[in-house]
Amino acid sequence: MPVTPPDVNPPAISEADPGVLSSWLTSRRIWTTNQPSTTEWTDPAVEERPAEWQDIAKVNDIVLDDSGQVVGYIADIGGFLGIGAKKVLLGVDAIHLITIGNDTFFATNYTKAELEALPDFDQKTVRQ
């Protein structure tokens, strides 16, 4: 007898309205606007990344709570090709996903120095 597939309630995604894989998200770079962190975030209406913005980090992983909600991102700050980078935990409001043309990345008002001043991410605080 043929098996009837169950209704797993898949999300409504399509080529025109695609979903996002965590592997795609965790490869995104983080750019600072070089504004003070006290500056309120407003989505930039720009057609290209401003010259004063600086590439400062990369999203390394995503942190979920027990209910499956995204609560933060682990970012690699500094280093070279991942060597010597400092891992820090950022809340979901600390970085913002931006798309300019075909380029998608995170942006933040936190400076590189501010992010480097954060405590090292403690691996014991998450399930692995």
Side-chain angles (χ1 to χ4, degrees), residues 3-95:
V3 175
T4 303
D7 180 6
V8 294
N9 195 22
I13 58 176
S14 67
E15 191 172 338
D17 190 18
V20 175
L21 295 175
S22 64
S23 58
W24 178 88
L25 193 64
T26 57
S27 67
R28 298 298 102 187
R29 302 296 305 174
I30 302 172
W31 290 71
T32 178
T33 62
N34 283 314
Q35 296 295 312
S37 60
T38 55
T39 304
E40 183 178 342
W41 176 262
T42 56
D43 284 329
V46 295
E47 294 186 20
E48 63 183 40
R49 189 173 21 242
E52 67 271 12
W53 289 19
Q54 179 186 10
D55 182 354
I56 58 169
K58 181 185 101 141
V59 174
N60 178 277
D61 216 334
I62 302 167
V63 179
L64 308 175
D65 64 15
D66 284 339
S67 68
Q69 299 299 309
V70 174
V71 294
Y73 303 95
I74 300 170
D76 290 340
I77 308 295
F80 180 71
L81 299 174
I83 298 170
K86 177 179 182 170
K87 291 189 184 315
V88 298
L89 179 60
L90 305 175
V92 294
D93 295 332
I95 57 178

Side-chain angles (χ1 to χ4, degrees), residues 60-61 74 87 120-128:
N60 178 277
D61 216 334
I74 300 170
K87 291 189 184 315
D120 290 340
F121 172 68
D122 184 355
Q123 295 281 345
K124 295 178 285 202
T125 63
V126 294
R127 293 185 202 149
Q128 297 182 35

